Every structure is written in structure tokens, then in C-alpha cells.
Amino acid sequence: MNKQEYELVVVGGGPAGLAAAQEAYDQGVRDILILERDFELGGILQQCIHNGFGLHYFGEELTGPEYAQQFMENVRERGVDIKLDTMVLEVTPEKDVYAINSDDGMLYIDAEAVILAMGCRERTREAIDIPGTRPAGVYSAGTAQRYVNMEQWIPGEKVVILGSGDIGLIMARRMHLEGAEVEAVLEIMPFSGGLVRNIVQCLDDFDIPLRMQQTVTEIHGKDRLEAVTVAEVDENMQPIPGTEYKIECDTLLLSVGLIPENELSKDAGVKMHDVTGGPIVNEGRETNIEGIFACGNVLHVHDLVDWVTEESLVAGKTAANYLQGGIDKREQEIEVNPGENVGYIVPQKITNDVEDRKLVDLYMRCKKPMEHVTINLYSGDKKLLDKNERRVEPGEMITFPVPEQMISDDMDSLKVDIVKEGE
Amino acid sequence: MKDKTDILIIGGGVTGCFAARELSRYDLDITLVEKEPSLCTGTTKANTALIHAGFNADPDKLKGRLNMRGNQLYHERIQHELDVPIEWLGALVVAKEEEKLPKLEELLEKGQENGVPDLEIVKGDDIYDLEPHLADDAIAALHAPTAGIVNPFELTVALANNAAMNGADVYLEAGVEDIEDKGETKLVKTAKGDIEADIVINAAGLYADKIANMVGIDKFEITPRRGEYYLYDKQADIDVQTTVFPVPTKITKGIVVTPTDEGNVLIGPNAEVIESVENKSTTREGLDEVLNGAQKTIPELSKRNVIREFAGLRPAITETGDFLIEASDEVPGFINVAGIQSPGLASAPAIAEKVVGIVEEEIGGLKEDPDFDPNYEGPPKFRHMSHEEQAKLVEEDENYGQIICRCESVTKGEILEAIREPVGARTVNDIKRRVRPGSGRCQGGFCEPKVVNILSEELGIPENEVVLESEESKLLRERTKEPLLNEEEVSDNE
Amino acid sequence: MSETVEITCISCPMGCDVELEVNEDDDIVDIDGNSCQAGIEYVKNEYRNPTRILPTTARVKGGVLPLVPVKTDEPMPKGLLDEAMEEIAKVELEAPVELGDVVIENILDTGVNIVATRDLPKK
């Protein structure tokens, strides 16, 4: 076995891993290794060829590959070690990392700190329990995206897309532009999880219908997909009998949600959060295991890569602090709890005492869309801070910066709720 | 395709492959034909994967006798000879009501009559020692420690490859179109060409009646009975130790909850008589029935962590409810092995034994092949190895250093091996059944493009010729940009 | 006779449905439904001259991938997107390609260039 030692091992060379490695380097850590399973860095951004990335972080609109390339160049310039085509098989609680590739064989890496940045995977047909046959032609939207944009294959000619999140919308446009017919985009909820601008530019521009509160209830076709049965759903998302109709198609793309990919984390003994599907972390993105950090979509699913970057810089910085002599802990841990109309908040707790910090960013998602809202931050019954938003929706992450000076030693928990303005 | 053989077996399921392997012990020329591009696509593909102990089958029926003998043969020989996952987890038949107790006693007696060893009825805490997460209102259970689970895909592939290693020829995509009875021999017309055989063994599963009709036999009819299933993620925290049955009713054995050889939990099947032997569709009602049924014995089950739903068809002969294994009176040299519904997988080694006996009678004696090697070893299983063993494997062959399927830790080496075996994999689903890429929680989302790529390279075909399962199940259409360039050409021609 | 045109404003996530009233001379005489000033600018542009960034791919020979992602370096007229796709489909580049390389200059006389959006090394 090929034994190596590194101060910091970053698992995953997508936007999260790249930004975390870059920041750890800039904070003075020199001995860093990024392990990436694909043949190149950049992660899923490489297949997200559309524009719309980077408005927050770079102040300009980039495509996925452009955004990725910036960070790839940054880590290369810094001389961070990179191993491609390398799969991490195990991370132990002692931060031993087992990984494998064809050149080095089995790698056993003794690391002092580990940043988990493995990203997420797509929910499947099974996750939404669609009965029927099992023909060729049913793909997750991301798999189809890889085929079309990177492998140079078109999966089919007549397409139905289930799910109007951004990936579903983007794929509707891609399939249309590459010559396929997109019959419809179906959304089980009464609202789309995608950005308005994607609904306009990916569907309306090409007259692709978006049908709300409808879902696929059966898949037909023996060899290749032949049709799907679609039904309207009630307020509990249950199909309404009698509303069924068939759409003939040879391809069904599923854009029905993403799940943080935490098999390695769980095996390492990292504690998971039920709602996010990712590790429970403090504001430095450190997990329950000292020296193991997590950032990006492995922690919670982000809608904008800009927030992935911001979060990963935090993780990289904390990992560097940890390696350079440790992190001072607060006397009392502060829990961060979701209140009314808040689905989850990351971080789940504030535990560190950091001298030069001005803000602690809270990332959260609302449970249901609302207009003209106030977002309130409480410590116990005491309101600390609020901000107004014209509109919130579950598809768009809300960032809520909390000034450091508001966080005091006598707090034991913070709570955020989202209510109608004036309530 | 060759044009002559001693014995032609129709059907590449577990029954046909077992017959091929057992007959390859003798000095005979064996040929197996399968209509699909892959073995194991019919009844063998989608069932509960159980080696029943043999207490449920009627002792008066062939099923009852062969189940017990089959279980014995798995214990005594198969598990040692073939590199196939078999685990003896035992089975529990759980009674929750007083009035079900006589039925448990009846099963116990039937099992004892069939010769099933070590059966006992357990009560109270003893039940929960065997199955801690069982519904808390169980009052008694029949425990059958000799019941087991097997991986039916690996078993079938092992049998076919072992038969091939011992000289049998296996032809895929060689569906039988017609059979001409020429008296001494049968001329079998397949999609791959004509072949003349002294003896034909009809192990065509769901299609056995149609094959029999080709030589004028119409004494039995196959009725497909559909069973639906849910399969759970390995990482789902569902603790099931044994194969758990409810007390059976006259109509059904009830919904089974069982671990698989890979540590998933499998629940099912319901039982529904349907018309078409092609209809492997799952249904809302059927799946709900499966989950509701399973929750009666293991209440913690839900839809959470389900990674696959599927349906399988059992080829039942409803008039007798039994297997039909016999040389035809009407057509000499034609052997039917039909109606192999549950417990067909458990009985498979015994069915093969019986078939060998029939062949011996038909030919008038069999001569053993001294070179027969009963042992087979499949591709290595990277996921089950220690890191030291993994390190060694990749040192020997760098292809084991490339993980293709991250959910199941399947390497490129294993996939290549599956393709390069004597009876090699040709389809995405075949590779999945043999070495598991795509069997995990992402269901191929990440690895399918890679598997398609490897198949394309190994088979020397473009990626849009690669199929999921059947010949017509191509996964990809055209190269990106081709539809746009074609449009251009069309408008230029106008 | 005036006519009403509906445009969804995408200047922000609110996504206001804005109504434009247009008279027979094609002058915008009224704008209604917007929540802010940015909305007015957006819908005026979107009515007069809707433009889009077109992100897609172009074929490459001898690269680590058979396609390189490309985009228009400026927004182009929306009505020409499908035609631009056909033009881009005809191109076949040779690896290596660098981010920013001009793949097609002045596509369809729009004054907009198609540029590569990543480096694509040789195989």
C-alpha cells in the first residue's frame, strides 16, 4: 500500500473542494491534497455549460466551466497536490484516508484534517415511486446533461421532463436547442423550484409548456420508453383519479431533487442532519469529528454555486486555523434553530470564538413561498435583527449575515422565523 | 452457429443453465439457446431469491420432493463448487393470531414429511431473539434454519459459464422460431441459424407452452403470475436477520421480508394472474399491497430508502399447480421442464438432477466426462475485500484501480471480467446483474455513461448500439449536433 | 387600437408579470404590473429587442472530450437562436482549445462572437 502523509486532504475537486483548498492555502497551509474521482477538476460545473453562475461572487455572469476554470487555475498556481481519477474508499474517524487509482494503486493517506466536498447525487425514479415498466429512456436530468454536453450523445427525440427545478428547466432548453422535441415540463408542486429567469429563458422562449400540479403516474414501454401517464395532483400531491392523460415520448428526464452524498461521511462517524441530509456542522463547517469539515452540496444542497464557494472558503479557513494550533471554543455552544416557515439553517450551531470575525452567515431555506416577508432573528424571546425580503421561495437559499457583536456569551440558542411583513 | 448437437436446451434462466451444467458432466455435446442478449432475463431475473427449506410445498407434488432435494444439493455441493453468494439465514413463518397456530402445526408436519431438518415452533422471546425487529404482537413462529438466500443472477451466470468451460455452447439472441420434428432428431430454427438436436429440453419458462406447441404438444398452458417488489438501500437502517413470512393462506404465501446476499432488504411479492407474458409492469395497487403486507411483520418498513421497484412473472401451470418435468410421450426426444414457479429456484439443482435422469433414460446410459471441472470462480468482488486485498488486486491489474460505480464500489476490472467471461455480458443490465454497477442508491445515474462506454469499447460497437436489456432497448439516439446537421441537409434539399 | 403585451420581468426573483400597452404605431403607451424602476427598463428592452446569451457546445477533434462548451460573448437576438445553433453545429475544432478562443466570429452578422468557455486539452 502506498502510504503518504498530508496536513489537509480535500475529498472532491468540484467548486466546494477547490475553494476550500484555495482558502486553506491562502491561510498558510502548504501541504494539501485534493482527491478527485473524475478525470479532471471542476465537478458537475463542467457539464453545466449554461450561464448564470458567479453573479454574487465574481460580480459577472459566467458559465459553469468558466466558473470552475477560475478555481482550477487558482489551486494549480498555488501548487496544491491533485490526484485525478482517484476514488476515496474510506475516511476513518482518525482521519486516515483510503483512496485508489490505477497509477498509485491503493493510497493510504495519514491526514491531520479532512474536508468533505463530495457533492450530491440526483433522486431517482424510485425516490418518487413511479410504477410501470422499466424501459430504456428514463434518465435523471443530470445524467442526460452529461451525455448531451460532455459525452456527445442525445438520449432521445421526444422528451418529457418531470420537475421544474433549475436542472429540469435548463435541460428543457438544451434538449430543444439540440433538436429534440420537449413535450412538457411537469411540476408536482403549485410553484416551480426554478428561477423565474429560467422559466422565461428556457421554457417560454421556446413555447415549452410548464404544467403545474401534475406528475407522472406510470411509465410505459417494453424496450424503449413509449409514453408516460400524467395526472393532476391534489394539495397533498396525490394523483386525482380521472385526470390521467398520456404523453407519447421516448425520453423521460427526472429532475426531482438532489441528495447530499454522505456515505463516506457516515462511515467516518460524522453525524447527519435529518432535513439537510448532510453533516451537522458549526459555523466553521466542522462536523462532530474534530478536524473533519464539510462544505458545498455534501453539506446541504445549494441553488447557487456562489454560496458553495462562500461556504467552502469558510471551511478552508477553519481547517487552516485548526491545523495551525486549534480553534478557541466558546464557553457555551449556541444552537441555531429554524422557526416558522424555515426548513433548515446551516450551520446548526455556533461554537467557535474567532477574534477577527465580523459576520456569521446563516444559510437557510423557507418551507413555502411567501411575498413581502420579514426574516427575524431571536435569542430566546429577544429579537436581535430582522430584514425584509420581497419574496422568498424554497428554491432560493436565503443568506442572513449576523454581526459578530450580536453574538454574546450568555446565549444558548438562536432562532430564525420568516413571517409576513408587519406581523 | 453450429448445425448439430446432442442436446439442445431452450432457455437461459436458472433451470436451463442448471440443466446445461449438470449435463456437461457427461460425454455429450450440449447447446443452450436464449432469445435475449443476456441470460437471466425472465423469471430468474425477478423473484425473491430464496432457497426455501421445503416445508410449504405439498409432499404429494413434484414441487415438494424437489424443493427439499434442491435445498440439500445447494448445501452439499453447489455452495462449494460455484463462487456464488449463498447464505443460510433461516426462515420464520410468523403467526400473530391464535387461529393461525393450527396452520403453523400443519406446516411443521408437512415439512417433516418432506424431510426438512431442524424445524421447530418458537414462542415468546425466542422469536425476538431470532428477529428483534419483528412486529411486537407475534405469538409463535415456525423456524426453518435450513432456509437460505442466493443471488440468482450470479448463480445462473456461474452455471452457464461452468457449462461453457466444460464444453457447452451458449448462444444468446438465438430465439427459437420453429421446431421441425424429424423423428430421430429435431431441427430447431433459431434467430441465429438452424441446429439439429437429438434431444431438445424445453426450459423456456414463460414461453414453454409456445415452444411445446411448435412440436404439437398442447397438454399444458403457462399462466403468468406477476409479483411485485421493493428493494431497499443497503445503508437503510432496517434490521432483518432471517427470511420472514406471514402464515400462508390458501391463495398466497404472503409478503416476504428478506435480506439479500448483498445486505439489502427485499420485500414482496404479491401475486396477480395476468394475461401477457411480457407485462412486467409494476402498479400502484400492487406496490402498496407489498408494502402493507411487509409492514405486518416488520412495521418499521416505509417507502424511505427504497432504491428499486420491480415486477417478476412466474410461469404457472394452473391446472396442476405443479412443475412439469417429463419426456414427452407424443414426441420422443422432447423433454418439457415447465411450470417452474416457486419454489423453482430452490428446486433448480434437483430439477437438473431429474432432467439428467430423463436424458439418461432417453439415450440409454450416460458416460461421464473425466475432464469435467465442477468449479467456477466469478470476477473478484472488490467491495467485499479488505484494503490490503484491494491493494494487491490493483497491483496485479490497474483496471481494479478504477471505480466505475461509486455506490457499490465496482471497478472497471470487474466489468471487463464480466464481459470477457466465456458467456460474457453484452448489455448494461447484464453487467449490473453480474457485478452490480447501477444496483445502488443512485441507480446508475453516475456510472451508466461509463458502463455504456466500456461496453462500446469492448464490443467494438458505437455507444448508441449499446442496449439496456433487450435488443430494442437502445439507450442513446444520435451524436449531439447530428439532428441539427441533418435538419440543415433536409432544408438544403428543398 | 392599442394592444396589450405580457412580459415576465426577470430583473429579480420576484418575476412580476408586467403588461405593456402598445398603440398602432408600436409606441409603448403604458406599463403596468412592475414593482420597480428596473422592471420598466427590462420590459422595454424585452419588447423592442429581446436578446439572449446562447450557451451550447461545439464539436472538437482530438480533445479529452468530444465537445467544448461555448457561448455568445454578448447577448444575441432571441429570434436567431435556432439558426445560430445550426451554424455552431457545423463547426469542428481541433484540440487544444483555450477558454476565450473565438469559435465563430460575428455569427449571422449579429456582431456577436461564439467563444469557448473552457480549456480543452488534447487527448
Side-chain angles (χ1 to χ4, degrees):
Chain A
M1 218 177 293
N2 188 334
K3 191 178 172 186
Q4 309 200 352
E5 283 178 20
Y6 275 92
E7 278 188 82
L8 176 61
V9 169
V10 180
V11 184
L18 291 171
Q22 173 186 324
E23 182 65 14
Y25 185 96
D26 289 349
Q27 296 291 330
V29 183
R30 289 292 170 270
D31 195 25
I32 306 175
L33 174 66
I34 299 177
L35 298 170
E36 167 55 43
R37 58 194 161 202
D38 213 337
F39 77 98
E40 61 179 358
L41 294 174
I44 296 300
L45 280 179
Q46 297 287 20
Q47 69 186 54
C48 300
I49 61 163
H50 52 281
N51 52 311
F53 301 92
L55 275 168
H56 289 273
Y57 188 73
F58 288 110
E60 61 174 319
E61 198 177 1
L62 302 173
T63 63
E66 287 171 315
Y67 193 101
Q69 192 160 328
Q70 286 272 356
F71 287 94
M72 287 158 66
E73 280 168 14
N74 292 349
V75 297
R76 285 211 188 92
E77 275 165 17
R78 286 164 174 75
V80 170
D81 286 350
I82 296 159
K83 285 194 184 292
L84 301 172
D85 284 315
T86 304
M87 185 69 86
V88 174
L89 300 170
E90 189 184 358
V91 178
T92 72
E94 294 75 36
K95 297 177 279 289
D96 294 333
V97 178
Y98 292 91
I100 197 163
N101 67 37
S102 288
D103 295 334
D104 302 292
M106 178 68 80
L107 289 155
Y108 161 62
I109 305 155
D110 180 356
E112 286 172 49
V114 174
I115 296 179
L116 303 169
M118 293 88 75
C120 58
R121 65 168 180 271
E122 298 179 275
R123 293 177 79 209
T124 62
R125 167 181 174 178
E126 271 69 23
I128 49 169
D129 197 28
I130 312 176
T133 55
R134 310 209 61 99
V138 182
Y139 296 94
S140 61
T143 306
Q145 189 179 43
R146 182 164 183 111
Y147 271 127
V148 174
N149 292 349
M150 296 182 80
E151 312 276 340
Q152 209 200 341
W153 285 109
I154 310 252
E157 289 152 4
K158 245 180 152 186
V159 186
V160 169
I161 297 177
L162 178 59
S164 68
D166 288 315
I167 312 169
L169 300 175
I170 293 287
M171 278 313 291
R173 176 172 64 181
R174 279 303 291 147
M175 294 301 289
H176 168 88
L177 286 173
E178 293 295 351
E181 275 174 61
V182 181
E183 300 292 313
V185 176
L186 309 171
E187 173 58 58
I188 195 167
M189 304 292 278
F191 51 87
S192 163
L195 299 170
V196 181
R197 99 189 212 132
N198 281 335
I199 294 173
V200 171
Q201 298 196 346
C202 297
L203 303 188
D204 298 352
D205 276 5
F206 309 106
D207 296 324
I208 298 169
L210 171 58
R211 299 187 187 150
M212 300 299 206
Q213 291 186 283
Q214 296 194 6
T215 192
V216 173
T217 55
E218 193 177 348
I219 287 170
H220 307 273
K222 179 174 166 284
D223 304 305
R224 176 82 197 192
L225 181 66
E226 287 163 18
V228 292
T229 299
V230 177
E232 290 172 22
V233 299
D234 61 23
E235 60 273 24
N236 299 316
M237 294 194 284
Q238 293 307 305
I240 303 171
T243 61
E244 298 88 354
Y245 66 99
K246 250 187 183 182
I247 308 180
E248 279 178 30
C249 56
D250 70 356
T251 306
L252 174 66
L253 300 188
L254 300 172
S255 173
V256 291
L258 302 169
I259 304 171
E261 204 167 34
N262 274 296
E263 281 65 36
L264 283 176
S265 325
K266 287 178 199 162
D267 288 345
V270 170
K271 279 198 188 130
M272 294 293 138
H273 189 260
D274 264 357
V275 179
T276 61
I280 295 169
V281 292
N282 67 14
E283 78 277 27
R285 302 304 187 266
E286 190 174 19
T287 67
N288 61 303
I289 300 180
E290 220 182 75
I292 298 187
F293 302 81
C295 55
N297 282 348
V298 83
L299 185 54
H300 57 127
V301 176
H302 297 61
D303 42 306
L304 291 182
V305 71
D306 304 66
W307 305 131
V308 168
T309 300
E310 299 279 4
E311 175 173 272
S312 305
L313 295 175
V314 171
K317 183 170 183 208
T318 328
N321 294 346
Y322 169 81
L323 289 167
Q324 290 156 350
I327 301 160
D328 292 333
K329 296 281 172 191
R330 309 183 70 82
E331 277 172 28
Q332 180 159 265
E333 199 173 281
I334 305 171
E335 276 182 38
V336 183
N337 296 319
E340 199 183 320
N341 197 25
V342 178
Y344 72 78
I345 305 172
V346 171
Q348 288 88 356
K349 55 193 176 181
I350 297 173
T351 65
N352 298 348
D353 191 2
V354 186
E355 244 175 55
D356 56 349
R357 184 167 66 188
K358 294 192 180 62
L359 293 168
V360 174
D361 285 327
L362 303 183
Y363 291 177
M364 65 194 76
R365 280 182 194 277
C366 63
K367 284 183 179 164
K368 53 179 196 288
M370 254 167 123
E371 285 188 4
H372 304 291
V373 298
T374 306
I375 306 174
N376 298 305
L377 175 72
Y378 295 94
S379 162
D381 289 338
K382 196 176 134 209
K383 186 159 158 184
L384 298 180
L385 195 62
D386 59 28
K387 80 168 180 179
N388 289 346
E389 289 280 346
R390 292 225 308 238
R391 186 179 168 81
V392 292
E393 44 192 308
E396 282 189 57
M397 198 163 74
I398 302 160
T399 54
F400 193 91
V402 181
E404 179 74 29
Q405 71 259 21
M406 282 194 176
I407 303 169
S408 66
D409 279 341
D410 56 350
M411 287 178 177
D412 57 9
S413 72
L414 291 172
K415 190 183 86 180
V416 180
D417 64 18
I418 300 175
V419 295
K420 274 273 181 205
E421 241 178 86
E423 273 175 23
Chain B
M1 189 169 180
K2 63 185 182 187
D3 57 9
K4 255 183 155 42
T5 189
D6 294 338
I7 298 181
L8 183 85
I9 298 161
I10 302 171
V14 72
T15 306
C17 292
F18 233 125
R21 191 260 187 170
E22 290 307 313
L23 285 165
S24 69
R25 291 173 183 277
Y26 303 96
D27 190 13
L28 290 168
D29 185 76
I30 314 288
T31 306
L32 184 145
V33 290
E34 162 58 47
K35 72 177 165 50
E36 295 295 328
S38 147
L39 300 167
C40 210
T41 59
T43 301
T44 310
K45 161 173 143 176
N47 57 72
T48 326
L50 300 180
I51 305 178
H52 292 280
F55 54 77
N56 202 29
D58 195 335
D60 298 336
K61 287 185 173 165
L62 205 45
K63 287 199 299 193
R65 296 196 295 277
L66 294 182
N67 182 352
M68 178 49 218
R69 175 66 182 152
N71 184 299
Q72 214 171 26
L73 286 169
Y74 276 112
H75 273 90
E76 287 168 10
R77 284 185 15 214
I78 304 306
Q79 67 173 349
H80 306 298
E81 293 172 350
L82 302 175
D83 176 26
V84 171
I86 295 176
E87 283 176 57
W88 304 109
L89 302 179
L92 280 179
V93 183
V94 178
K96 294 165 70 169
E97 298 94 13
E98 289 290 334
E99 65 263 30
K100 296 279 175 68
L101 293 180
K103 182 71 193 175
L104 274 195
E105 292 290 344
E106 190 189 310
L107 287 176
L108 176 71
E109 279 163 30
K110 209 152 71 167
Q112 282 164 344
E113 200 179 325
N114 281 338
V116 179
D118 305 326
L119 286 175
E120 60 167 342
I121 290 179
V122 289
K123 293 192 169 164
D125 287 350
D126 291 347
I127 312 173
Y128 295 95
D129 288 345
L130 290 163
E131 198 61 79
H133 288 78
L134 205 60
D136 56 15
D137 52 352
I139 53 175
L142 175 66
H143 181 222
T146 56
I149 56 171
V150 60
N151 183 316
F153 320 135
E154 286 186 45
L155 173 65
T156 306
V157 167
L159 291 164
N161 276 307
N162 188 234
M165 285 160 46
N166 287 301
D169 291 299
V170 176
Y171 295 97
L172 302 172
E173 295 183 72
V176 172
E177 288 156 1
D178 199 10
I179 303 170
E180 202 180 305
D181 184 4
K182 304 180 81 172
E184 285 294 288
T185 65
K186 317 271 162 293
L187 183 66
V188 180
K189 298 174 176 171
T190 80
K192 278 265 172 83
D194 298 354
I195 182 166
E196 207 170 337
D198 293 342
I199 291 180
V200 171
I201 297 173
N202 174 15
L206 292 159
Y207 304 86
D209 52 353
K210 288 177 194 71
I211 296 291
N213 287 344
M214 290 177 185
V215 288
I217 300 172
D218 54 8
K219 65 176 278 192
F220 68 93
E221 193 187 337
I222 298 293
T223 306
R225 212 173 52 224
R226 182 170 63 189
E228 299 174 51
Y229 294 89
Y230 274 130
L231 181 75
Y232 290 85
D233 191 345
K234 285 178 185 180
Q235 279 212 350
D237 232 352
I238 308 163
D239 180 22
V240 181
Q241 302 293 325
T242 62
T243 298
V244 181
F245 297 85
V247 175
T249 63
K250 278 221 165 66
I251 307 155
T252 161
K253 276 187 209 159
I255 304 298
V256 182
V257 180
T258 183
T260 69
D261 62 293
E262 283 287 336
N264 306 84
V265 168
L266 177 67
I267 66 172
N270 60 340
E272 186 189 354
V273 171
I274 54 162
E275 280 187 8
S276 165
V277 292
E278 304 278 339
N279 185 354
K280 290 178 198 160
S281 186
T282 53
T283 63
R284 182 71 280 133
E285 300 74 25
L287 291 169
D288 289 346
E289 185 187 341
V290 165
L291 181 57
N292 291 337
Q295 283 167 335
K296 290 194 178 124
T297 51
I298 305 288
E300 69 185 272
L301 291 165
S302 70
K303 283 186 186 174
R304 203 181 152 103
N305 289 313
V306 166
I307 58 168
R308 186 82 171 172
E309 55 186 56
F310 61 90
L313 302 179
R314 322 270 171 274
I317 299 175
T318 31
E319 302 92 275
T320 60
D322 202 0
F323 300 159
L324 174 79
I325 305 167
E326 60 180 26
S328 164
D329 295 338
E330 309 152 60
V331 187
F334 194 89
I335 301 170
N336 284 308
V337 188
I340 312 298
Q341 51 166 309
S342 180
L345 183 60
S347 311
I351 294 171
E353 197 176 57
K354 188 169 170 65
V355 169
V356 170
I358 295 171
V359 170
E360 187 171 17
E361 233 169 74
E362 291 284 301
I363 300 184
L366 290 174
K367 193 169 134 249
E368 285 205 24
D369 176 357
D371 297 330
F372 176 76
D373 178 359
N375 298 305
Y376 161 85
E377 209 178 325
K381 288 175 179 162
F382 184 87
R383 65 190 174 279
H384 293 165
M385 293 178 172
S386 68
H387 292 318
E388 287 71 23
E389 290 167 325
Q390 290 170 337
K392 222 176 130 224
L393 193 60
V394 63
E395 259 167 50
E396 286 161 17
D397 181 349
E398 63 166 30
N399 286 313
Y400 291 97
Q402 270 189 63
I403 307 282
I404 301 297
C405 166
R406 58 174 87 157
C407 302
E408 295 285 314
S409 296
V410 182
T411 61
K412 186 175 181 184
E414 289 158 84
I415 295 171
L416 291 176
E417 190 98 342
I419 298 172
R420 292 170 185 172
E421 279 192 291
V423 187
R426 295 286 173 275
T427 72
V428 171
N429 276 355
D430 196 4
I431 289 182
K432 173 179 167 182
R433 284 191 286 269
R434 292 175 190 228
V435 291
R436 292 186 70 79
S439 322
R441 55 195 71 88
C442 93
Q443 288 291 300
F446 288 112
C447 65
E448 189 193 278
K450 294 179 183 173
V451 173
V452 168
N453 189 271
I454 295 169
L455 268 171
S456 149
E457 266 179 31
E458 281 291 299
L459 304 180
I461 55 172
E463 281 155 308
N464 59 345
E465 296 285 325
V466 173
V467 298
L468 181 67
E469 185 77 284
S470 63
E471 226 179 315
E472 302 302 319
S473 63
K474 295 191 175 71
L475 285 157
L476 301 168
R477 294 293 199 207
E478 281 179 284
R479 281 282 187 187
T480 308
K481 306 301 167 194
E482 260 171 28
L484 302 176
L485 292 167
N486 295 343
E487 244 168 60
E488 185 80 348
E489 276 159 30
V490 172
S491 56
D492 281 355
N493 293 342
E494 277 167 6
Chain C
M1 268 296 286
S2 68
E3 187 194 356
T4 308
V5 182
E6 255 194 45
I7 292 175
T8 306
C9 173
I10 58 169
S11 332
C12 84
M14 282 284 286
C16 298
D17 287 320
V18 184
E19 287 189 352
L20 274 70
E21 211 180 308
V22 184
N23 69 15
E24 53 259 55
D25 299 327
D26 207 19
D27 297 323
I28 298 171
V29 292
D30 191 28
I31 294 179
D32 190 33
N34 58 301
S35 321
C36 69
Q37 194 58 34
I40 296 181
E41 287 312 305
Y42 174 82
V43 294
K44 276 187 185 168
N45 266 331
E46 184 67 9
Y47 179 68
R48 293 272 175 241
N49 178 29
T51 59
R52 299 286 185 266
I53 296 276
L54 173 62
T56 179
T57 54
R59 293 178 293 153
V60 184
K61 256 193 211 157
V64 292
L65 291 169
L67 295 169
V68 68
V70 300
K71 68 172 184 184
T72 51
D73 60 358
E74 296 290 334
M76 67 175 289
K78 181 179 128 181
L80 292 176
L81 292 178
D82 284 331
E83 216 175 311
M85 283 298 295
E86 285 173 19
E87 285 304 303
I88 298 166
K90 292 179 199 160
V91 175
E92 187 162 27
L93 307 168
E94 287 271 355
V97 179
E98 279 187 25
L99 191 152
D101 280 0
V102 176
V103 175
I104 299 175
E105 220 176 293
N106 186 18
I107 188 163
L108 303 170
D109 261 339
T110 54
V112 170
N113 301 318
I114 303 296
V115 295
T117 57
R118 64 165 282 177
D119 291 351
L120 197 79
K122 276 191 192 170
K123 202 183 256 172

